């Protein structure tokens, strides 16, 4: 069987096993939406999904590259619709599981990607309820009656925000949230994220993705019309904490070719920007790292170039402020709609387009007098050379098209007088 037929069969199986029964609900949403908040203590992004029978709200850490949803089940998990998935079943094959545990139950390895800890877990299914959207506001709730996820022990929660029950994986697998929801409701295999320092959203399905203006008289903005596109790259080697030989990464990589600061190319070893045969190198997008992390030589070159460009603007450097090394006096630096007027960092991508990072996404305000460059030194020989962290993607809409393996990214939404907090997720008007 060739790869195209194999993928088609998997899609049909997934559709069969998780699709809601038409007798249960006749409404077919075109897209779904879930709310996101940033935890001020851990800087992790938290969403809430209703699960079980009767429904219970579960708080989960959003893991952009995570393989699937995992939830603790060893402490008061009560549901009349909970079912373990048997070994050698079609659902077990969909999950890519290759082990049997606990009374012939399909086994998985849930991964806490914050602490890089894995454990054994069961593949199970239960009811999930989620809000629909027309792209302008959230609408009625819909259910997936046989949603697949993994149970995990409570000990795996170590390092996660207080009050969460697990992690919601949005990665490139057949049982991640985007794949399951797209198959259940037969909409486009796309999803989009739009986060901020406080509130945000995840959309499942295609746009529009409409945000209100940030004050009266400012028109609504359909951020799906602002997207610039670049290919998503598959890392041939898994970047999970535990994996089998031959597994590719479920995370989202893009092709950064060079880095500019104030339009000047930074001199770096560009071979580090490519992924080698061992899966080392390249650039990925992460919701787990709160700030961008750079391999040491890239970090040194970028920070030195930034300091030099800041000096030409008469921006005064100050003492470091943990965990940041490069800090400046912010008192006399002009504020703009795009943040502090500091050197612009530009990521030049493989198809000739650029992702510009302005002051709002590069500078972290420490106090009224001090701001620091929000990038971290990742040390020598990290698995991934450039990790774009949460602070740098805040208030950008990012759309992941799984069918065409393409990323769409918007400019900083501040430029259009809106933010990711301005989607109406409460109810229709």
């Amino acid at each position: 069987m060739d790869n195209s037929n194999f993928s088609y069969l998997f899609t049909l199986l997934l559709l069969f096993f998780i699709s809601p029964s038409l007798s249960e609900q006749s409404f077919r949403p075109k897209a779904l939406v879930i709310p996101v908040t940033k935890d001020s203590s851990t800087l992790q992004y938290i969403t809430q999904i209703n699960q079980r029978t009767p429904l219970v709200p579960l708080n989960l850490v959003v893991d952009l590259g995570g393989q699937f949803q995992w939830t603790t089940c060893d402490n008061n998990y009560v549901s009349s619709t909970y079912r373990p998935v048997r070994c050698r079943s079609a659902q077990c094959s969909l999950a890519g599981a290759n082990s049997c545990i606990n009374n012939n139950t399909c086994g998985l390895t849930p991964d806490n990607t914050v602490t890089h800890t894995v454990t054994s877990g069961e593949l199970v299914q239960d009811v999930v309820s989620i809000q629909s959207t027309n792209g302008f506001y959230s609408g009625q709730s819909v259910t997936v009656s046989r949603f697949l996820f993994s149970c995990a022990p409570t000990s795996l929660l170590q390092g996660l925000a207080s009050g969460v029950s697990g992690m919601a994986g949005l990665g490139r697998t057949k049982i991640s949230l985007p794949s399951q929801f797209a198959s259940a409701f037969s909409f486009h295999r796309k999803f989009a994220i739009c986060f901020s320092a406080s509130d945000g959203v995840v959309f499942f399905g295609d746009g529009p993705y409409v945000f209100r203006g940030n004050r009266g008289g400012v028109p609504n903005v359909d951020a799906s019309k602002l997207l610039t596109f670049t290919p998503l790259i598959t890392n041939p080697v898994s970047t999970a904490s535990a994996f089998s030989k031959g597994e590719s990464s479920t995370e989202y990589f893009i092709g950064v070719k060079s880095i500019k600061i104030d339009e000047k190319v930074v001199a770096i070893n560009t071979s580090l920007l490519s992924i080698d045969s061992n899966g080392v190198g390249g650039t990925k997008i992460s919701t787990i790292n709160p700030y961008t992390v750079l391999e040491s030589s890239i970090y040194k070159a970028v920070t030195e170039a930034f300091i030099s460009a800041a000096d030409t603007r008469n921006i005064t450097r100050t003492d470091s402020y943990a965990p940041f090394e490069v800090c400046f006096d912010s008192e006399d630096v002009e504020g703009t709609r795009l943040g502090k007027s500091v050197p612009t960092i530009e990521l030049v991508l493989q198809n000739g387009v650029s992702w510009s990072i302005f002051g709002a996404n590069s500078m972290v305000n420490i106090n009224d007098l001090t701001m620091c460059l929000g990038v971290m030194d990742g040390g020598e020989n990290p698995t991934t050379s450039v990790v774009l962290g949460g602070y740098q993607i805040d208030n950008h809409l990012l759309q992941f098209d799984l069918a065409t393996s393409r990323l769409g990214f918007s400019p900083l939404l501040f430029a259009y007088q809106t933010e990711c907090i301005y989607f109406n997720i409460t109810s229709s008007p």
Side-chain angles (χ1 to χ4, degrees), residues 4 12-13 62 122 160 169 201 243 256 264 281 315 327 351 357 418:
S4 61
L12 289 179
L13 287 170
V62 177
E122 298 177 322
L160 302 185
V201 287
F243 59 92
V256 173
K264 294 182 179 180
I315 300 174
C327 300
N351 56 334
I357 300 174
T418 190

Side-chain angles (χ1 to χ4, degrees), residues 162-216:
S162 176
V164 304
S165 302
M167 303 186 79
L170 308 182
R172 304 175 83 166
T173 72
K174 293 181 173 67
I175 64 166
S176 67
L177 272 68
S179 292
Q180 291 201 63
F181 291 145
S183 295
F185 298 106
S186 301
F187 53 61
H188 293 289
R189 293 180 60 225
K190 298 179 181 180
F191 73 97
I193 64 174
C194 199
F195 298 161
S196 76
S198 53
D199 298 330
V201 287
V202 178
F203 299 99
F204 300 99
D206 209 348
Y209 313 119
V210 179
F211 297 85
R212 304 188 313 275
N214 58 13
R215 63 178 185 274

Side-chain angles (χ1 to χ4, degrees), residues 53 99 116 138 199 255 268 298 393:
T53 301
S99 65
H116 305 289
S138 57
D199 298 330
I268 61 174
I298 298 177
I393 66 175

